[in-house]
Amino acid sequence: MADTVSLLRRLILESPPGEWAVNQLRELLIGALKQGPIPQHVAFEMDGNRRYARSRRMETVEGHHRGFEALARIMEICYKCGVKVVTVYAFSIENFNRPKYEVEGLMQLAKVKLEQLTTYGDILDRYGACVRILGQREMIRDDVLEVMDRAVARTKHNNKAVLNICFPYTSRAEMTTAIRSTVQEFLSPTPPKNTPFSPSRIRQKILSGQLDGRDLLPTIPDEPLDDGEYEGKDIDDGDDNDSSGSATLPPGSPEPRLLSRSGSYGSTTLPNPDNITVDTIERHIYTADDPPLDLFVRTSGVERLSDFMLWQCHQDTHIFFRKCLWPDFDLKDFIWVLLEWQWRQKQSDREKPSGRAGTAKARSMME
Ligand SMILES: CC(C)=CCC/C(C)=C/CC/C(C)=C/COP(=O)(O)OP(=O)(O)O
């Protein structure tokens, strides 16, 4: 009986009039949603593809294909609603540890779908969305990278919306990269060379025996270091796997600012770590150009962030965990997330003026 009902339902919904009616209803719902506030930046942790495949006795890779279809549907809903940036976790660095055939399947899927997505007139072009690939580029093999670069180049003229594809990504790798490039930027202003008190000059003198090391101040390079240029202990390679120009200050290192405060180096402008703020790091994070993350959605019932958007989740990011598996995720699920987000926005807007009034009142009472 249940089988007959579900078959009948499928027949109706998949018939041309059924499809037309469903599309009309979707448009109506999206139109209604657009009447309220809309998150500017939404991230999806698309979880549950393999469980979806297993429960339907499909190949794992087929589960990922269905996952991509869900992504295309959700992306369209987002852009139609007015979301500016959609960020998706398409491949974690940890995913390289999955069986070879699955990793290969995901690479092929990325290649085929990115070509498709960025073909002129397809979904991204329709909504004026450009593609950006966020993650550890050096871990992507050449044939995939080529397709990704082409996708980015083909859509770079689109300036209404963004699709951030995190591939291969983890937040810790993103933050490490951001810190590394912050340090590189921080050390890059080149001071006047060979001034009598420049660190390199002092180093030269020590090496040539003209100065003993007793009064040696903590050394800060006065010019960007080349790999292997410096053998001292105060600048160290921060990553065992990657020695490409990375420099970290190990725990217990003397604070570089002491140097600049002491003024020992004359007119040399030495980096001051006090100048590194949240905003400095933010500028080096992959999503630096994007609006703050308003909404984070993870499917499949797992309630963890799993190294995704750890920096971007701030005090006003609303995090939603949904039980449904990603390939099943559609407007019927997303609408509740959006409605709840809109409701929470209204609540916090309502609280804000009274909160402010309360503070002002408290202040006037104290005065
Ligand atoms: C081009 C492009 C953007 C492609 C995206 C395709 C896509 C949906 C990728 C997601 C891959 C992935 C590791 C999902 C997590 O589910 P899981 O495999 O961990 O499933 P499980 O939780 O059931 O084990």
Side-chain angles (χ1 to χ4, degrees), residues 46-52 54 60 64 67-68 71 88-92 95 98 102 106 109-111 113-114 117 163 165 167 300 302 325-326:
M46 312 180 287
D47 200 17
N49 292 353
R50 290 188 300 184
R51 274 168 282 167
Y52 176 92
R54 230 176 284 134
T60 306
H64 293 310
F68 177 82
L71 168 60
V88 294
Y89 206 1
F91 196 89
S92 142
N95 290 155
R98 290 193 176 186
E102 189 183 345
L106 280 163
L109 179 70
K111 279 169 71 176
K113 295 302 178 188
L114 274 173
L117 263 181
L163 171 65
I165 301 177
F167 192 114
S300 91
V302 177
L325 302 177
W326 176 255

Side-chain angles (χ1 to χ4, degrees), residues 31 44 81 101 120 135-136 169 210 214 220 247 256 261 271 361:
F44 293 101
C81 284
Y101 78 90
Y120 179 73
Q136 306 311 110
Y169 172 96
Q210 292 175 35
R214 274 174 305 172
I220 293 298
R261 280 187 189 154
K361 196 175 166 195

Side-chain angles (χ1 to χ4, degrees), residues 9-206:
R9 214 184 79 184
R10 256 189 59 198
L11 277 175
I12 294 171
L13 291 180
E14 285 172 15
S15 68
E19 265 185 22
W20 179 85
V22 169
N23 281 339
Q24 292 300 307
L25 186 64
R26 288 171 80 90
E27 293 301 322
L28 206 72
L29 289 174
I30 291 171
L33 280 171
K34 279 170 77 172
Q35 301 309 307
I38 293 295
Q40 292 299 284
H41 185 173
V42 182
F44 293 101
E45 191 152 353
M46 312 180 287
D47 200 17
N49 292 353
R50 290 188 300 184
R51 274 168 282 167
Y52 176 92
R54 230 176 284 134
S55 69
R56 285 166 177 76
R57 294 171 205 278
M58 291 171 174
E59 288 288 328
T60 306
V61 174
E62 185 52 29
H64 293 310
H65 272 264
R66 301 288 175 101
F68 177 82
E69 285 166 15
L71 168 60
R73 284 196 301 267
I74 290 295
M75 234 161 56
E76 185 151 23
I77 295 167
C78 284
Y79 296 144
K80 265 189 186 168
C81 284
V83 172
K84 290 278 176 288
V85 181
V86 174
T87 301
V88 294
Y89 206 1
F91 196 89
S92 142
I93 293 175
E94 305 300 323
N95 290 155
F96 279 118
N97 298 323
R98 290 193 176 186
K100 214 170 158 225
Y101 78 90
E102 189 183 345
V103 174
E104 180 55 30
L106 280 163
M107 295 297 151
Q108 289 304 332
L109 179 70
K111 279 169 71 176
V112 172
K113 295 302 178 188
L114 274 173
E115 281 287 339
Q116 201 176 308
L117 263 181
T118 55
T119 305
Y120 179 73
D122 210 307
I123 183 169
L124 293 176
D125 254 4
R126 251 183 284 144
Y127 295 97
C130 64
V131 172
R132 289 203 308 231
I133 310 292
L134 314 185
Q136 306 311 110
R137 213 184 137 79
E138 68 282 2
M139 297 177 103
I140 307 175
R141 56 181 216 222
D142 289 348
D143 58 322
V144 183
L145 201 57
E146 211 177 286
V147 177
M148 289 183 161
D149 286 344
R150 199 158 50 234
V152 171
R154 269 186 194 166
T155 57
K156 71 168 193 282
H157 58 276
N158 289 339
N159 57 8
K160 290 203 183 88
V162 177
L163 171 65
N164 285 327
I165 301 177
C166 297
F167 192 114
Y169 172 96
T170 60
S171 288
R172 282 177 298 168
E174 176 184 29
M175 290 191 250
T176 306
T177 308
I179 292 167
R180 195 179 287 160
S181 57
T182 302
V183 172
Q184 275 165 356
E185 181 197 82
F186 187 66
L187 296 176
S188 63
T190 315
K193 284 195 180 149
N194 291 329
T195 55
F197 303 109
S198 84
S200 61
R201 182 97 171 155
I202 292 171
R203 195 161 67 214
Q204 269 172 16
K205 292 225 169 206
I206 291 169

